[in-house]
């Protein structure tokens, strides 16, 4: 029993700092960083974005929506609203981009009614192979080719 309690206690003490999902990471008023278990997606929640402690997960989804370039991720709990925008970053593998896809035309999107909706002002870092955007809510997010 003692061996089990220590890791759980350690996770509680570190909650809200940095963590990987599928294990929920509790984020409070101080904000925090939560990554997917494959470390290809992350969310940075700023201080004062949530007023109550919230268990956050970032999980790769297996039923990738049409138009996705690479993997898509469920940022949960779905529908969570933030007082200050959270920064979401998803990595992509440029070697698996469909032929003719220009990296500079990639964007971050979230699902609305089964379709991608672009996150306003998302940016592509073609050196780091990431797409980053800010959102005041959680949903399914992924990288897709803009317009």
């Amino acid at each position: 029993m003692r061996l089990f309690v220590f890791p759980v206690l350690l996770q509680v003490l570190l909650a809200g700092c940095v963590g990987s999902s599928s294990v929920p990471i509790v984020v409070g008023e101080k904000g925090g960083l939560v990554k997917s278990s494959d470390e290809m997606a992350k969310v940075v929640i700023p201080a004062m974005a949530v007023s109550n402690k919230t268990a956050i997960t970032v999980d790769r989804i297996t039923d990738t929506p049409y138009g996705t370039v690479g993997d898509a991720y469920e940022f949960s709990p779905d529908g969570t609203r933030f007082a200050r925008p959270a920064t979401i970053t998803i990595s992509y593998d440029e070697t698996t981009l469909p032929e003719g896809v220009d990296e500079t035309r990639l964007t971050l999107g979230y699902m609305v009614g089964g379709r991608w909706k672009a996150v306003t002002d998302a940016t592509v870092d073609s050196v780091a192979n990431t797409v980053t955007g800010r959102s005041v809510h959680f949903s399914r997010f992924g990288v897709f080719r803009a317009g």
Side-chain angles (χ1 to χ4, degrees):
M1 182 72 168
R2 202 174 269 173
L3 293 175
F4 175 74
V5 172
F6 181 72
V8 172
L9 179 60
L10 184 59
Q11 182 179 0
V12 169
L13 292 173
L14 294 176
C17 297
V18 178
S20 294
S21 290
S22 291
V23 176
I25 304 302
V26 178
V27 175
E29 290 180 347
K30 292 182 181 179
L33 167 69
V34 181
K35 297 179 183 180
S36 60
S37 60
D38 65 3
E39 298 195 0
M40 296 292 285
K42 68 180 179 180
V43 59
V44 176
I45 301 169
M48 305 308 291
V50 293
S51 56
N52 298 315
K53 291 184 178 180
T54 305
I56 305 292
T57 59
V58 179
D59 295 307
R60 186 175 66 81
I61 58 174
T62 55
D63 58 335
T64 305
Y66 176 77
T68 308
V69 174
D71 293 318
Y73 294 83
E74 183 78 40
F75 290 77
S76 299
D78 186 31
T80 298
R81 307 285 303 170
F82 300 108
R84 297 178 59 209
T87 302
I88 294 172
T89 301
I90 299 179
S91 299
Y92 62 91
D93 180 353
E94 68 182 296
T95 64
T96 63
L97 291 176
E99 189 172 328
V101 172
D102 178 1
E103 286 178 79
T104 63
R105 300 287 299 154
L106 297 177
T107 193
L108 185 69
Y110 61 95
M111 293 304 295
V112 176
R115 294 183 174 264
W116 286 119
K117 180 171 181 172
V119 172
T120 306
D121 299 327
T123 59
V124 176
D125 182 334
S126 59
V127 174
N129 293 336
T130 60
V131 181
T132 301
R134 294 168 25 124
S135 179
V136 294
H137 66 86
F138 272 167
S139 181
R140 288 183 169 192
F141 285 84
V143 176
F144 73 103
R145 181 174 32 180

